[in-house]
Amino acid sequence: MTNSEWAEVDHYLVNTLVGDEDSETLRANDAAGLPHIDVSPAQGKFLHLIALSVRARRVLEIGTLGGYSTTWLARAVGKAGQVVTLEYEPKHAEVARKNLDRAGVGERVEIRVGAALDSLPVLAGEQPEPFDLVFIDADKVNNSNYVQWALKLTRPGSVIIVDNVVRNGGIAQADSSDAAVRASRDVIELLAAEPRLEATVLQTVGSKGWDGFAYALVLGDE
């Protein structure tokens, strides 16, 4: 199948199962000149369902962009829940805040602006309640660092998801010179070696092309 055929399937699935209630967010992101790297609508719904499945009330997102995935996660945590999302670019954070408020979930979301590797130690120092779900979708070269911080901020039973790890199949190339591919291989090997995690990677195809995400469960003491 071709990318266009994958996109046609996505279009059918969105029309049938997902809906387009958040299409205004994607249009606002486009109008603001944000890069077209949001999760797809079907992927956003999938994140929403994962959060519902683990009954997440506290979610940490690393990489806000315009708040599209944030909106899906914020709906899942409910009115009593909270999403803390970290965004490097002030402009992106400003667009996200408007999108979240328009979607009616702004009160559930705290946006922290700055480099995530600066924000995460501050967050950990506040000794917050553990996060039930961590979604990592930021600069790929720091994915392993983000997973290490996620482990400090979660509890047994929490889920950590790392997006965009398949890189159009690039992770199969051990000698790749692509920094994002090397980072994906590094984070997958970290997930395999870390005794506190049980993980897998699922490949995906669709309107976003060929990629995939890592899904890791934080284990308890045996």
Side-chain angles (χ1 to χ4, degrees):
M1 295 181 71
T2 64
N3 280 17
S4 63
E5 289 173 302
W6 296 339
E8 286 177 12
V9 173
D10 255 10
H11 182 71
Y12 165 72
L13 295 176
V14 169
N15 287 341
T16 306
L17 289 171
V18 179
D20 65 350
E21 62 183 310
D22 292 314
S23 57
E24 181 59 32
T25 293
L26 296 176
R27 286 193 290 269
N29 291 351
D30 185 55
L34 271 59
H36 296 167
I37 54 174
D38 310 89
V39 300
S40 72
Q43 291 166 346
K45 180 69 174 287
F46 189 64
L47 287 172
H48 176 82
L49 291 173
I50 290 174
L52 288 176
S53 297
V54 301
R55 299 184 179 181
R57 288 295 172 263
R58 288 180 52 75
V59 172
L60 173 63
E61 180 183 52
I62 303 176
T64 315
L65 195 62
Y68 184 68
S69 56
T70 322
T71 301
W72 282 107
L73 293 167
R75 288 203 182 100
V77 301
K79 293 181 179 179
Q82 184 186 39
V83 177
V84 177
T85 184
L86 312 181
E87 174 53 46
Y88 177 72
E89 292 286 350
K91 177 184 176 181
H92 297 178
E94 182 181 351
V95 173
R97 172 51 63 196
K98 292 177 181 177
N99 286 333
L100 292 162
D101 289 344
R102 184 179 56 251
V105 295
E107 293 183 356
R108 308 175 194 180
V109 180
E110 177 186 356
I111 304 175
R112 298 195 179 196
V113 181
L117 290 180
D118 293 333
S119 299
L120 286 163
V122 174
L123 180 60
E126 295 168 3
Q127 298 183 326
E129 292 181 37
F131 290 96
D132 307 304
L133 173 65
V134 178
F135 178 49
I136 299 170
D137 189 14
D139 58 309
K140 308 310 174 186
V141 296
N142 278 310
N143 275 346
S144 292
N145 291 324
Y146 296 147
V147 168
Q148 295 283 15
W149 277 107
L151 275 169
K152 299 176 190 292
L153 293 162
T154 50
R155 54 167 178 78
S158 295
V159 169
I160 300 170
I161 298 174
V162 186
D163 202 12
N164 306 125
V165 298
V166 172
R167 314 302 305 174
N168 203 36
I171 56 168
Q173 302 167 12
D175 60 350
S176 175
S177 61
D178 186 306
V181 169
R182 295 200 306 270
S184 287
R185 290 176 62 90
D186 288 346
V187 78
I188 290 168
E189 290 165 12
L190 168 63
L191 296 175
E194 174 54 63
R196 292 170 290 175
L197 294 173
E198 191 68 42
T200 190
V201 169
L202 292 180
Q203 299 185 73
T204 60
V205 296
S207 60
K208 304 291 292 184
W210 177 21
D211 212 331
F213 62 91
Y215 185 112
L217 177 68
V218 181
L219 303 176
D221 295 330
E222 301 232 346

